[in-house]
Amino acid sequence: MTQTESPAAGRGNSTDHVRRHNLATVLTLVHRSQGISRSQLTRVTGLNRSTVAALVGELVERRLVLEVDADVQGQVGRPSPIVKPDPLAVAIAINPEIDAITIAVVGLGGTVLKRIRYATDHEPTAREAVNICAAVIEGLRGELEASHRVVGIGVAVPGLVRSLDGVVRLAPHLGWVDEPLAGMLAEATGYPVVAGNDARLGTLAESTFGAGRDLSDFIYLNGGASGIGGGLIAGNQALTGSAGYAGEFGHTLVNSMGTVCHCGGVGCLETEVTRAPLLALAGLTDADADELENALVASESADVRAEVHRQLDFLAVALRNAINTLNPQTILLGGFLGSLYAVAPAHLNALVAHQPLRASREGVSIGRAALGSNLLMIGAAELAFESVLDDPASF
Ligand SMILES: [Zn+2]
């Protein structure tokens, strides 16, 4: 890469538009890398050194990035400063589920600073969910406004969300239909709100910060309290389908003798592979993903093992279909699907090593989503950060 700037980057007379575009490029690189040296920024953007220094300076003034001295050990000459996301520029992330509402404060760079799980004794209505979120956020407001700056709120919804206005068209397990969730939350909190499908946001988070960071083709499958969602990255692009609803692996047929699903089908993956019996066998009534996993892995009960194997057998059917159809490098499992795999990895590996077509299964690996129980919080925050990453000068 040369030190000459592209014509679009302009020189001393760069227009406001070009400067804003370059600010967005630099901030996005800093956010995704979670820390990058100024010399690397110069190399990657193709901008000259003084331009990068000025852009970083403006982002520091806007309190979106920090510059810290590089570790000087083993370096010859003056080391290039490291530019890091300012963790005090935050988004509030929300994930409503059938048994709890989780709310987190997430710093730029995808760092979860605080996470609160508010357990509910029934599926919350959209209005109840908004009221709970508003109360929790009100409790945090003093602390947030004293030392942080809130970009906005991102919501990961277990259902179909219209991206245009954040209306939840259908969240079947919550019983929500056409709920203007983003609008209600914005009104209740005063912050801008963006909402999206939970599994799509999980895929985005894993692709940006997690186990999918270096993968061009992967399938992500998440098991949550209200079913199984998924997403896929194909050729480094999120594959969304014509209306954004691609990746509904939870409704692929795995058992033609199975249970009737709310979607109208029979024996869907999400009717045969479910969290509730795992909780019951582990003797838990209410647990987050980490607690359930610890209990399952520690269990020596034959009933737990049998149920885990039964569920993995059905999961393998869905994976066979997905591998034959989509030819991924890797399958990433999140939520309780990752926990099922943690209990009996050899069982699932053996099924995936034999069931798909030989050519398709060659080289396919199964992995855990890397972001653990923070995954949806990071994904939801990514939604809220989009506007500031697109135009840092507006913030
Ligand atoms: Zn179904």
Side-chain angles (χ1 to χ4, degrees), residues 251 261 263 268:
H251 297 283
C261 180
C263 74
C268 292

Side-chain angles (χ1 to χ4, degrees), residues 143-227:
E143 176 189 339
L144 286 176
E145 293 191 348
S147 50
H148 300 62
R149 284 184 317 144
V150 180
V151 171
I153 295 175
V155 193
V157 181
L160 305 177
V161 182
R162 189 161 64 203
S163 55
L164 183 70
D165 54 8
V167 168
V168 178
R169 299 300 314 281
L170 174 69
H173 300 272
L174 289 164
W176 298 359
V177 179
D178 290 332
E179 294 286 356
L181 183 70
M184 289 158 74
L185 269 169
E187 197 181 352
T189 63
Y191 292 122
V193 180
V194 198
N197 172 263
D198 58 352
R200 186 175 74 78
L201 295 176
T203 309
L204 178 66
E206 283 295 330
S207 176
T208 308
F209 296 117
R213 214 168 181 160
D214 301 317
L215 297 175
S216 61
D217 296 81
F218 73 89
I219 295 170
Y220 164 70
L221 282 179
N222 183 66
S226 60

